[in-house]
Amino acid sequence: MRIARTTGSGGHGNLTVPARYGPNRTRVLRCSTCKARFSERKGTPLYGTRLSAQTVTAVLAHVAEGSGTRKTARLVGVHRDTVTRYIRQAGEQAQQLHDELVALSPPDQRAPTG
């Protein structure tokens, strides 16, 4: 089975699905170029979670709307430490993405420093 979506050099058809794991049947991807194996969730806030993607998405959606940790935990039905952990993971991912995009962005010619 070939996967169209790839990490690294995308769209080359170099990923296969040799296995699945966990209660959510998360796919293990294998790169035919470098022979590495990794989770399809690697590099996302879903990496290392046992919760379903819908539950994690609900947690992050409530937090994005301004709900507090305890209120989010009650609404979604998870422990407040779980909410805190996902907030931290999502924040770290967002920070890495921001740093990467800022490093790649061209300088603003309209800025006072030119």
Side-chain angles (χ1 to χ4, degrees):
M1 175 181 190
R2 293 279 179 195
I3 305 296
R5 184 184 73 179
T6 62
T7 58
S9 57
H12 289 60
N14 57 343
L15 296 181
T16 58
V17 181
R20 292 178 181 267
Y21 71 95
N24 298 319
R25 306 296 297 154
T26 304
R27 297 182 301 180
V28 174
L29 303 178
R30 180 182 176 276
C31 176
S32 60
T33 306
C34 67
K35 309 296 187 226
R37 289 176 176 246
F38 52 92
S39 169
E40 70 177 331
R41 292 180 169 185
K42 185 173 182 175
T44 72
L46 298 174
Y47 183 67
T49 181
R50 293 182 182 154
L51 297 178
S52 68
Q54 294 82 11
T55 305
V56 176
T57 303
V59 167
L60 296 176
H62 282 289
V63 171
E65 289 294 322
S67 295
T69 301
R70 290 176 188 232
K71 183 176 181 180
T72 299
R74 277 194 312 275
L75 292 171
V76 179
V78 296
H79 194 273
R80 63 182 181 273
D81 292 344
T82 303
V83 174
T84 303
R85 185 171 61 249
Y86 287 118
I87 291 170
R88 185 174 294 126
Q89 287 176 350
E92 290 171 359
Q93 291 291 326
Q95 182 67 47
Q96 290 173 2
L97 179 62
H98 173 267
D99 293 345
E100 186 176 316
L101 292 176
V102 168
L104 296 175
S105 64
D108 186 6
Q109 299 300 326
R110 299 172 296 175
T113 59

XYZ file of all heavy atoms in Angstrom:
864
model
N 0.839 -1.177 0.000
C 0.000 0.000 0.000
C 0.881 1.235 0.000
O 1.710 1.424 0.866
C -0.878 -0.036 1.250
C -1.704 1.183 1.442
S -2.637 0.984 2.965
C -3.704 2.338 2.820
N 0.732 2.102 -0.949
C 1.522 3.321 -1.055
C 0.770 4.485 -0.434
O -0.446 4.569 -0.530
C 1.819 3.659 -2.516
C 2.716 2.658 -3.174
C 4.128 2.947 -2.794
N 4.998 1.970 -3.423
C 6.230 1.788 -3.062
N 6.746 2.487 -2.095
N 6.973 0.899 -3.651
N 1.502 5.395 0.175
C 0.944 6.582 0.791
C 1.359 7.792 -0.039
O 2.527 7.968 -0.341
C 1.471 6.760 2.234
C 1.211 5.517 3.057
C 0.888 7.997 2.890
C -0.243 5.212 3.248
N 0.378 8.614 -0.402
C 0.689 9.801 -1.195
C 1.337 10.883 -0.332
O 2.204 11.603 -0.775
C -0.572 10.348 -1.853
N 0.905 10.990 0.916
C 1.428 12.018 1.802
C 2.742 11.529 2.398
O 2.842 10.440 2.929
C 0.428 12.282 2.913
C 0.827 13.406 3.827
C -0.158 13.521 4.937
N 0.071 12.377 5.833
C -0.593 12.151 6.934
N -1.573 12.932 7.271
N -0.327 11.125 7.687
N 3.784 12.345 2.326
C 5.068 11.965 2.879
C 5.612 13.068 3.753
O 5.188 14.206 3.678
C 6.099 11.691 1.760
O 6.289 12.893 1.026
C 5.649 10.594 0.844
N 6.569 12.713 4.584
C 7.307 13.709 5.336
C 8.672 13.832 4.692
O 9.131 12.931 4.014
C 7.459 13.295 6.809
O 8.115 12.041 6.859
C 6.109 13.198 7.485
N 9.327 14.930 4.902
C 10.624 15.122 4.258
C 10.414 15.505 2.811
O 9.836 16.526 2.502
N 10.870 14.664 1.891
C 10.682 14.938 0.464
C 9.323 14.398 0.049
O 9.154 13.210 -0.179
C 11.806 14.305 -0.357
O 11.870 12.928 -0.121
N 8.343 15.265 -0.012
C 6.962 14.864 -0.230
C 6.628 14.469 -1.655
O 7.246 14.918 -2.617
N 5.607 13.611 -1.763
C 5.055 13.246 -3.050
C 5.876 12.289 -3.882
O 5.648 12.148 -5.070
N 6.842 11.609 -3.289
C 7.694 10.712 -4.055
C 7.238 9.259 -3.986
O 7.850 8.395 -4.590
C 9.139 10.826 -3.570
C 9.779 12.121 -3.937
N 9.297 13.343 -3.526
C 10.858 12.400 -4.684
C 10.053 14.304 -3.992
N 11.011 13.768 -4.699
N 6.180 8.977 -3.226
C 5.682 7.609 -3.131
C 6.637 6.672 -2.426
O 6.653 5.481 -2.709
N 7.460 7.204 -1.517
C 8.471 6.375 -0.868
C 8.048 5.854 0.500
O 8.849 5.269 1.201
C 9.783 7.146 -0.740
C 9.629 8.447 0.012
O 8.524 8.943 0.185
N 10.735 9.008 0.435
N 6.780 6.032 0.891
C 6.313 5.545 2.179
C 5.350 4.376 2.004
O 4.482 4.407 1.144
C 5.611 6.655 2.963
C 6.463 7.847 3.374
C 5.625 8.838 4.147
C 7.661 7.410 4.175
N 5.536 3.368 2.853
C 4.627 2.232 2.872
C 4.109 2.061 4.298
O 4.662 2.624 5.243
C 5.331 0.935 2.428
O 6.443 0.699 3.287
C 5.791 1.031 0.985
N 3.061 1.266 4.463
C 2.473 1.004 5.779
C 2.713 -0.469 6.110
O 1.905 -1.326 5.753
C 0.963 1.323 5.788
C 0.375 1.073 7.173
C 0.711 2.742 5.340
N 3.812 -0.773 6.823
C 4.080 -2.166 7.153
C 3.327 -2.674 8.386
O 3.207 -3.878 8.581
C 5.582 -2.192 7.416
C 5.895 -0.815 7.878
C 4.937 0.097 7.167
N 2.826 -1.769 9.232
C 2.172 -2.208 10.472
C 1.259 -1.123 11.013
O 1.278 0.014 10.557
C 3.231 -2.554 11.518
N 0.453 -1.522 11.987
C -0.402 -0.602 12.746
C -0.222 -0.948 14.210
O 0.110 -2.080 14.548
C -1.857 -0.753 12.343
C -2.127 -0.282 10.930
C -3.594 -0.495 10.570
N -3.850 -0.068 9.216
C -4.262 1.141 8.873
N -4.485 2.039 9.802
N -4.460 1.460 7.626
N -0.456 0.043 15.086
C -0.295 -0.213 16.513
C -1.299 0.589 17.321
O -1.881 1.555 16.829
C 1.133 0.115 16.979
C 1.441 1.587 17.012
C 1.307 2.314 18.191
C 1.858 2.263 15.881
C 1.578 3.669 18.233
C 2.127 3.614 15.913
C 1.996 4.311 17.088
O 2.262 5.649 17.120
N -1.472 0.190 18.576
C -2.293 0.921 19.525
C -3.780 0.725 19.342
O -4.246 0.114 18.380
N -4.547 1.284 20.296
C -5.997 1.120 20.259
C -6.654 1.860 19.098
O -7.734 1.481 18.661
C -6.456 1.703 21.606
C -5.363 2.609 22.024
C -4.103 2.023 21.476
N -5.996 2.879 18.584
C -6.546 3.642 17.458
C -6.055 3.138 16.112
O -6.352 3.732 15.083
C -6.192 5.127 17.611
C -6.779 5.720 18.853
O -7.919 5.432 19.205
N -5.997 6.524 19.548
N -5.268 2.069 16.143
C -4.719 1.467 14.914
C -3.930 2.496 14.103
O -4.087 2.641 12.894
C -5.813 0.828 14.073
C -6.689 -0.175 14.802
C -5.956 -1.394 15.290
N -5.412 -2.123 14.151
C -4.347 -2.903 14.208
N -3.717 -3.061 15.329
N -3.915 -3.532 13.150
N -3.046 3.204 14.791
C -2.195 4.205 14.161
C -1.209 3.517 13.227
O -0.619 2.494 13.568
C -1.424 4.990 15.244
O -2.379 5.557 16.141
C -0.603 6.094 14.635
N -1.016 4.098 12.065
C -0.133 3.490 11.068
C 1.337 3.743 11.378
O 1.714 4.821 11.809
C -0.441 4.041 9.683
C -1.836 3.721 9.215
C -2.121 4.231 7.837
N -1.957 5.680 7.782
C -2.136 6.399 6.686
N -2.480 5.821 5.560
N -1.972 7.696 6.706
N 2.155 2.724 11.136
C 3.604 2.850 11.168
C 4.026 3.006 9.722
O 3.686 2.183 8.865
C 4.275 1.602 11.782
C 5.789 1.694 11.665
C 3.851 1.422 13.216
N 4.743 4.083 9.419
C 5.188 4.333 8.059
C 6.653 3.929 7.922
O 7.432 4.070 8.852
C 5.026 5.814 7.708
C 3.612 6.371 7.852
C 3.604 7.858 7.528
C 2.637 5.634 6.972
N 7.025 3.442 6.739
C 8.404 3.051 6.458
C 8.855 3.756 5.189
O 8.187 3.691 4.156
C 8.507 1.551 6.264
C 9.917 1.085 5.962
C 9.955 -0.424 5.733
N 11.260 -0.866 5.353
C 11.731 -0.840 4.109
N 10.980 -0.402 3.126
N 12.943 -1.255 3.844
N 9.989 4.437 5.293
C 10.559 5.135 4.134
C 11.428 4.146 3.368
O 12.351 3.554 3.920
C 11.392 6.326 4.599
S 12.221 7.179 3.240
N 11.146 3.972 2.086
C 11.924 3.030 1.282
C 13.297 3.598 0.922
O 14.187 2.850 0.543
C 11.158 2.665 0.011
O 10.905 3.821 -0.765
N 13.486 4.895 1.087
C 14.768 5.515 0.779
C 15.769 5.324 1.914
O 16.867 4.824 1.707
C 14.592 7.025 0.506
O 13.613 7.185 -0.508
C 15.893 7.655 0.075
N 15.369 5.711 3.141
C 16.298 5.652 4.271
C 16.024 4.475 5.209
O 16.753 4.277 6.180
C 16.264 6.954 5.066
S 14.708 7.253 5.921
N 14.979 3.715 4.939
C 14.603 2.524 5.714
C 14.138 2.846 7.139
O 14.031 1.972 7.971
C 15.747 1.506 5.790
C 16.367 1.142 4.465
C 15.379 0.455 3.574
C 16.088 -0.038 2.318
N 15.387 0.253 1.111
N 13.850 4.103 7.440
C 13.392 4.487 8.781
C 11.918 4.134 8.940
O 11.150 4.154 7.985
C 13.598 5.981 8.986
N 11.539 3.824 10.182
C 10.144 3.569 10.523
C 9.716 4.616 11.533
O 10.475 4.950 12.446
C 9.974 2.183 11.144
C 10.153 1.067 10.162
C 10.061 -0.269 10.903
N 10.129 -1.352 9.950
C 9.127 -2.183 9.714
N 8.011 -2.093 10.385
N 9.250 -3.130 8.810
N 8.508 5.133 11.385
C 8.010 6.140 12.311
C 6.498 6.164 12.272
O 5.871 5.683 11.336
C 8.581 7.524 11.968
C 8.384 7.921 10.534
C 7.274 8.647 10.142
C 9.314 7.560 9.570
C 7.083 8.999 8.830
C 9.131 7.913 8.246
C 8.017 8.636 7.872
N 5.919 6.735 13.314
C 4.470 6.851 13.429
C 3.966 7.934 12.488
O 4.638 8.936 12.262
C 4.090 7.211 14.860
O 2.728 7.570 14.943
N 2.757 7.742 11.973
C 2.177 8.771 11.127
C 1.857 10.033 11.922
O 1.668 11.088 11.366
C 0.919 8.262 10.429
C -0.259 8.047 11.346
C -1.513 7.601 10.621
O -1.693 7.957 9.440
O -2.306 6.880 11.236
N 1.816 9.908 13.241
C 1.529 11.051 14.103
C 2.776 11.792 14.555
O 2.688 12.781 15.260
C 0.764 10.587 15.339
C -0.627 10.115 15.029
C -1.322 9.684 16.282
N -2.739 9.475 16.058
C -3.599 9.192 17.013
N -3.186 9.083 18.261
N -4.873 9.015 16.732
N 3.954 11.330 14.171
C 5.200 11.970 14.594
C 5.229 13.419 14.111
O 4.887 13.719 12.976
C 6.403 11.216 14.040
C 7.716 11.750 14.544
C 8.857 10.891 14.113
C 10.144 11.445 14.693
N 11.268 10.586 14.392
N 5.623 14.310 14.999
C 5.688 15.720 14.648
C 4.359 16.444 14.771
O 4.211 17.559 14.286
N 3.370 15.814 15.408
C 2.062 16.431 15.610
C 1.710 16.367 17.092
O 2.312 15.590 17.837
C 0.953 15.706 14.811
O 0.695 14.437 15.422
C 1.341 15.517 13.353
N 0.742 17.161 17.540
C 0.317 17.044 18.938
C -0.303 15.686 19.270
O -0.462 15.354 20.431
C -0.736 18.152 19.086
C -0.416 19.134 18.027
C 0.144 18.316 16.885
N -0.614 14.898 18.268
C -1.202 13.575 18.494
C -0.153 12.511 18.792
O -0.493 11.394 19.190
C -2.020 13.145 17.278
C -3.212 14.011 16.918
C -3.831 13.539 15.619
C -4.234 14.000 18.028
N 1.123 12.826 18.612
C 2.184 11.838 18.774
C 2.262 11.368 20.227
O 2.308 12.154 21.152
C 3.530 12.407 18.344
C 4.651 11.411 18.413
C 4.679 10.324 17.554
C 5.672 11.543 19.325
C 5.705 9.404 17.605
C 6.705 10.635 19.386
C 6.711 9.570 18.521
O 7.726 8.652 18.570
N 2.263 10.079 20.435
C 2.394 9.491 21.756
C 1.111 9.472 22.573
O 1.138 9.145 23.747
N -0.011 9.820 21.967
C -1.269 9.850 22.710
C -2.016 8.537 22.569
O -1.889 7.843 21.570
C -2.163 11.003 22.235
O -3.362 10.993 22.998
C -2.545 10.860 20.782
N -2.779 8.225 23.588
C -3.642 7.048 23.532
C -5.074 7.445 23.238
O -5.914 6.600 22.998
C -3.578 6.286 24.846
C -2.222 5.680 25.087
C -2.200 4.898 26.353
N -0.863 4.372 26.566
C -0.376 4.087 27.737
N -1.101 4.268 28.819
N 0.838 3.613 27.852
N -5.343 8.738 23.293
C -6.683 9.230 23.008
C -6.940 9.253 21.513
O -6.011 9.326 20.711
C -6.858 10.645 23.566
C -6.746 10.811 25.074
C -6.889 12.281 25.435
C -7.784 9.986 25.783
N -8.195 9.243 21.156
C -8.544 9.331 19.740
C -8.256 10.737 19.229
O -8.177 11.704 20.003
C -10.026 9.012 19.539
O -10.817 10.033 20.116
N -8.118 10.853 17.939
C -7.856 12.158 17.331
C -9.007 13.116 17.602
O -8.788 14.320 17.801
C -7.637 11.989 15.824
N -10.235 12.610 17.646
C -11.395 13.462 17.915
C -11.337 14.056 19.320
O -11.673 15.223 19.518
C -12.709 12.673 17.742
C -12.979 12.225 16.329
C -12.230 10.952 15.964
O -11.652 10.280 16.810
N -12.217 10.636 14.681
N -10.904 13.267 20.295
C -10.826 13.759 21.671
C -9.743 14.826 21.806
O -9.963 15.871 22.419
C -10.549 12.601 22.649
O -11.550 11.602 22.472
C -10.549 13.079 24.083
N -8.587 14.581 21.220
C -7.501 15.567 21.279
C -7.916 16.843 20.564
O -7.675 17.953 21.048
C -6.203 14.994 20.681
C -5.106 16.051 20.662
C -5.747 13.772 21.455
N -8.575 16.701 19.426
C -9.057 17.866 18.685
C -10.070 18.646 19.519
O -10.038 19.882 19.543
C -9.686 17.424 17.356
O -8.713 16.692 16.614
C -10.140 18.616 16.541
N -10.946 17.941 20.224
C -11.933 18.610 21.081
C -11.241 19.373 22.211
O -11.616 20.506 22.524
C -12.920 17.596 21.649
N -10.232 18.770 22.819
C -9.485 19.443 23.886
C -8.874 20.730 23.362
O -9.032 21.809 23.950
C -8.386 18.515 24.462
C -7.406 19.298 25.322
C -8.997 17.379 25.258
N -8.181 20.647 22.236
C -7.506 21.825 21.694
C -8.493 22.875 21.190
O -8.236 24.076 21.294
C -6.536 21.412 20.583
C -5.374 20.520 21.057
C -4.528 20.086 19.881
C -4.544 21.215 22.118
N -9.648 22.446 20.701
C -10.668 23.396 20.245
C -11.247 24.173 21.425
O -11.441 25.398 21.330
C -11.776 22.669 19.498
N -11.505 23.488 22.527
C -12.023 24.171 23.715
C -11.008 25.182 24.242
O -11.372 26.301 24.618
C -12.378 23.171 24.820
C -13.680 22.470 24.590
N -14.893 23.092 24.692
C -13.950 21.186 24.260
C -15.856 22.235 24.437
N -15.311 21.060 24.167
N -9.750 24.795 24.270
C -8.710 25.704 24.750
C -8.576 26.901 23.817
O -8.444 28.041 24.267
C -7.366 24.950 24.892
C -6.224 25.917 25.177
C -7.464 23.914 25.995
N -8.650 26.665 22.523
C -8.552 27.758 21.552
C -9.710 28.740 21.691
O -9.556 29.936 21.405
C -8.506 27.198 20.130
N -10.854 28.264 22.137
C -12.019 29.134 22.342
C -11.955 29.892 23.653
O -12.825 30.695 23.943
C -13.309 28.306 22.286
C -13.651 27.805 20.911
C -13.990 28.933 19.948
O -14.639 29.907 20.358
O -13.574 28.837 18.787
N -10.934 29.607 24.470
C -10.764 30.349 25.708
C -11.221 29.636 26.958
O -11.207 30.228 28.042
N -11.618 28.386 26.845
C -12.012 27.630 28.032
C -10.775 27.315 28.865
O -9.707 27.053 28.322
C -12.692 26.319 27.651
O -13.903 26.567 26.990
N -10.925 27.315 30.165
C -9.822 26.986 31.057
C -9.546 25.498 31.066
O -10.303 24.688 30.514
N -8.483 25.135 31.750
C -8.070 23.734 31.811
C -9.129 22.862 32.490
O -9.502 21.817 31.968
C -6.737 23.619 32.569
O -5.766 24.397 31.877
C -6.263 22.186 32.640
N -9.620 23.300 33.629
C -10.604 22.482 34.361
C -11.926 22.376 33.605
O -12.537 21.311 33.546
C -10.834 23.055 35.747
C -9.634 22.866 36.647
C -9.841 23.522 37.984
N -8.616 23.488 38.739
C -8.516 23.021 39.972
N -9.591 22.565 40.587
N -7.375 23.024 40.594
N -12.369 23.475 33.030
C -13.624 23.448 32.272
C -13.491 22.537 31.055
O -14.385 21.740 30.749
C -14.010 24.860 31.836
C -15.333 24.921 31.114
C -15.712 26.356 30.796
C -17.056 26.411 30.087
N -17.429 27.796 29.763
N -12.360 22.635 30.352
C -12.119 21.768 29.195
C -12.112 20.306 29.621
O -12.699 19.453 28.946
C -10.791 22.140 28.514
O -10.868 23.489 28.064
C -10.480 21.229 27.351
N -11.467 20.005 30.734
C -11.415 18.623 31.228
C -12.815 18.095 31.511
O -13.136 16.956 31.159
C -10.551 18.544 32.480
N -13.662 18.926 32.135
C -15.037 18.499 32.409
C -15.826 18.279 31.127
O -16.551 17.308 30.988
C -15.750 19.554 33.261
C -15.506 19.469 34.718
C -16.495 20.309 35.518
N -16.664 21.667 35.029
C -15.886 22.707 35.344
N -14.869 22.537 36.152
N -16.144 23.911 34.865
N -15.712 19.211 30.179
C -16.503 19.126 28.950
C -16.113 17.931 28.078
O -16.964 17.299 27.456
C -16.368 20.421 28.142
C -17.007 21.662 28.765
C -16.617 22.907 27.979
C -18.512 21.509 28.817
N -14.826 17.651 28.025
C -14.350 16.573 27.145
C -14.342 15.227 27.865
O -14.442 14.179 27.239
C -12.950 16.925 26.589
C -12.413 15.829 25.698
C -12.998 18.226 25.815
N -14.227 15.252 29.191
C -14.227 14.007 29.952
C -12.850 13.403 30.124
O -12.699 12.183 30.108
N -11.837 14.258 30.282
C -10.470 13.798 30.524
C -9.951 14.467 31.792
O -10.573 15.386 32.323
C -9.534 14.106 29.329
C -9.971 13.356 28.086
C -9.466 15.595 29.058
N -8.816 14.033 32.272
C -8.213 14.614 33.466
C -7.582 15.961 33.120
O -7.114 16.170 31.993
C -7.150 13.663 34.036
C -6.715 14.008 35.414
N -5.703 14.897 35.670
C -7.165 13.582 36.620
C -5.542 15.015 36.977
N -6.421 14.215 37.584
N -7.536 16.864 34.094
C -6.987 18.203 33.826
C -5.503 18.147 33.471
O -5.016 18.980 32.715
C -7.233 19.130 35.006
C -6.566 18.733 36.271
C -6.911 19.697 37.409
N -6.245 19.320 38.630
C -6.711 18.465 39.516
N -7.889 17.892 39.322
N -6.023 18.167 40.598
N -4.775 17.161 33.997
C -3.367 17.014 33.621
C -3.226 16.620 32.151
O -2.257 16.993 31.483
C -2.676 15.981 34.499
C -2.527 16.442 35.943
O -2.672 17.663 36.193
O -2.276 15.585 36.812
N -4.190 15.881 31.646
C -4.194 15.516 30.228
C -4.364 16.759 29.365
O -3.665 16.926 28.358
C -5.322 14.506 29.933
O -5.147 13.360 30.765
C -5.334 14.092 28.479
N -5.264 17.632 29.768
C -5.474 18.886 29.033
C -4.186 19.700 29.028
O -3.746 20.201 27.985
C -6.630 19.706 29.651
C -6.750 21.066 28.986
C -7.937 18.939 29.546
N -3.541 19.811 30.179
C -2.291 20.563 30.284
C -1.215 19.972 29.388
O -0.479 20.704 28.714
C -1.807 20.592 31.751
O -2.828 21.155 32.562
C -0.534 21.390 31.900
N -1.127 18.652 29.355
C -0.112 17.994 28.527
C -0.327 18.297 27.043
O 0.625 18.617 26.317
C -0.138 16.479 28.775
C 0.957 15.737 28.039
C 1.057 14.282 28.450
N -0.164 13.530 28.181
C -0.982 13.053 29.122
N -0.728 13.251 30.397
N -2.055 12.377 28.793
N -1.584 18.256 26.592
C -1.847 18.539 25.178
C -1.652 20.004 24.833
O -1.217 20.331 23.731
C -3.240 18.053 24.779
C -3.282 16.557 24.698
C -4.108 15.824 25.524
C -2.449 15.872 23.831
C -4.119 14.448 25.478
C -2.446 14.504 23.789
C -3.276 13.791 24.603
O -3.275 12.427 24.559
N -1.960 20.887 25.779
C -1.686 22.310 25.549
C -0.185 22.517 25.366
O 0.249 23.226 24.449
C -2.204 23.162 26.727
C -3.722 23.157 26.764
C -1.678 24.587 26.636
C -4.300 23.778 28.023
N 0.598 21.892 26.215
C 2.054 22.028 26.130
C 2.592 21.455 24.817
O 3.410 22.084 24.139
C 2.713 21.328 27.319
C 4.218 21.535 27.361
C 4.845 20.969 28.618
N 4.367 21.734 29.770
C 3.796 21.181 30.844
N 3.634 19.886 30.925
N 3.393 21.936 31.844
N 2.121 20.269 24.439
C 2.587 19.646 23.190
C 2.218 20.490 21.982
O 3.045 20.707 21.084
C 1.991 18.248 23.028
C 2.578 17.218 23.940
C 1.890 15.866 23.816
O 0.849 15.731 23.182
N 2.469 14.861 24.440
N 0.988 20.981 21.946
C 0.547 21.799 20.824
C 1.324 23.110 20.779
O 1.691 23.599 19.701
C -0.950 22.076 20.918
N 1.610 23.682 21.949
C 2.378 24.918 22.007
C 3.793 24.740 21.493
O 4.311 25.591 20.760
N 4.421 23.628 21.864
C 5.779 23.356 21.379
C 5.783 23.172 19.866
O 6.677 23.665 19.172
C 6.349 22.132 22.083
C 6.670 22.374 23.543
C 7.027 21.100 24.293
O 7.018 20.005 23.681
O 7.311 21.198 25.500
N 4.784 22.456 19.345
C 4.686 22.271 17.896
C 4.483 23.606 17.185
O 5.092 23.880 16.158
C 3.525 21.327 17.555
C 3.741 19.908 17.972
C 4.817 19.241 17.151
O 4.974 19.526 15.985
N 5.566 18.367 17.769
N 3.609 24.442 17.744
C 3.341 25.745 17.143
C 4.596 26.623 17.164
O 4.880 27.334 16.194
C 2.198 26.433 17.867
N 5.351 26.569 18.264
C 6.579 27.363 18.363
C 7.598 26.920 17.318
O 8.223 27.750 16.659
C 7.177 27.239 19.765
C 8.437 28.065 19.968
C 8.167 29.546 19.915
O 7.240 30.021 20.544
N 8.943 30.280 19.153
N 7.770 25.619 17.139
C 8.704 25.104 16.141
C 8.290 25.520 14.739
O 9.125 25.929 13.923
C 8.804 23.587 16.233
C 9.507 23.102 17.471
C 9.428 21.583 17.615
O 8.881 20.885 16.764
N 9.976 21.080 18.716
N 6.992 25.416 14.443
C 6.501 25.809 13.128
C 6.696 27.302 12.901
O 7.138 27.730 11.836
C 5.030 25.440 12.979
C 4.380 25.812 11.653
C 5.066 25.085 10.500
C 2.904 25.497 11.676
N 6.391 28.101 13.904
C 6.571 29.544 13.800
C 8.031 29.891 13.515
O 8.328 30.681 12.615
C 6.124 30.230 15.098
C 6.422 31.683 15.131
N 7.568 32.186 15.679
C 5.727 32.749 14.659
C 7.577 33.502 15.556
N 6.478 33.864 14.943
N 8.953 29.297 14.280
C 10.372 29.573 14.094
C 10.834 29.184 12.697
O 11.620 29.890 12.060
C 11.200 28.840 15.143
C 10.968 29.376 16.544
O 10.397 30.490 16.680
O 11.345 28.677 17.510
N 10.330 28.065 12.208
C 10.703 27.606 10.868
C 10.161 28.546 9.790
O 10.872 28.911 8.862
C 10.164 26.193 10.648
C 10.603 25.555 9.353
C 10.116 24.123 9.250
O 10.208 23.388 10.245
O 9.649 23.753 8.158
N 8.915 28.975 9.933
C 8.321 29.854 8.933
C 8.945 31.243 8.957
O 9.148 31.852 7.904
C 6.807 29.959 9.147
C 6.022 28.680 8.861
C 4.553 28.875 9.200
C 6.188 28.251 7.413
N 9.267 31.749 10.132
C 9.896 33.065 10.228
C 11.291 33.019 9.612
O 11.707 33.951 8.925
C 9.949 33.548 11.699
C 10.847 34.760 11.856
C 8.547 33.865 12.182
N 12.009 31.932 9.812
C 13.349 31.802 9.246
C 13.302 31.755 7.724
O 14.224 32.228 7.053
C 14.030 30.549 9.788
N 12.224 31.221 7.159
C 12.111 31.097 5.707
C 11.454 32.296 5.034
O 11.503 32.422 3.823
C 11.312 29.837 5.353
C 11.946 28.515 5.761
C 11.007 27.369 5.464
C 13.277 28.315 5.046
N 10.836 33.172 5.826
C 10.094 34.282 5.228
C 11.048 35.374 4.747
O 12.076 35.644 5.366
C 9.097 34.863 6.232
O 9.785 35.415 7.323
N 10.701 36.009 3.616
C 11.544 37.099 3.110
C 11.402 38.322 4.007
O 10.357 38.514 4.650
C 10.993 37.373 1.716
C 9.586 36.890 1.777
C 9.581 35.751 2.751
N 12.405 39.179 4.063
C 12.297 40.389 4.878
C 11.242 41.327 4.326
O 11.012 41.393 3.122
C 13.697 41.004 4.793
C 14.322 40.412 3.589
C 13.684 39.076 3.377
N 10.592 42.046 5.222
C 9.547 42.989 4.831
C 10.208 44.276 4.369
O 10.884 44.961 5.140
C 8.621 43.249 6.005
C 7.419 44.107 5.626
O 7.269 44.402 4.424
O 6.647 44.462 6.527
N 10.001 44.633 3.105
C 10.615 45.832 2.546
C 9.996 47.108 3.086
O 10.587 48.173 3.020
C 10.518 45.801 1.016
C 11.235 44.627 0.391
C 12.723 44.611 0.720
O 13.360 45.648 0.838
N 13.262 43.416 0.910
N 8.770 47.015 3.617
C 8.087 48.194 4.138
C 8.453 48.489 5.586
O 8.049 49.502 6.126
C 6.575 48.020 4.030
C 6.103 47.849 2.581
C 4.663 47.494 2.546
N 4.519 46.174 3.199
C 3.361 45.582 3.442
N 2.253 46.155 3.125
N 3.316 44.404 4.019
N 9.207 47.592 6.204
C 9.571 47.782 7.606
C 10.514 48.975 7.741
O 11.228 49.337 6.794
C 10.253 46.526 8.136
N 10.537 49.641 8.909
C 11.395 50.796 9.096
C 12.878 50.507 8.870
O 13.629 51.385 8.451
C 11.167 51.203 10.559
C 9.936 50.524 10.990
C 9.726 49.359 10.083
N 13.278 49.266 9.129
C 14.694 48.920 8.923
C 14.971 48.505 7.495
O 16.118 48.287 7.121
C 15.113 47.790 9.874
O 14.283 46.656 9.639
C 15.020 48.249 11.314
N 13.910 48.373 6.675
C 14.058 48.101 5.259
C 14.399 46.713 4.957
O 14.789 46.260 3.990
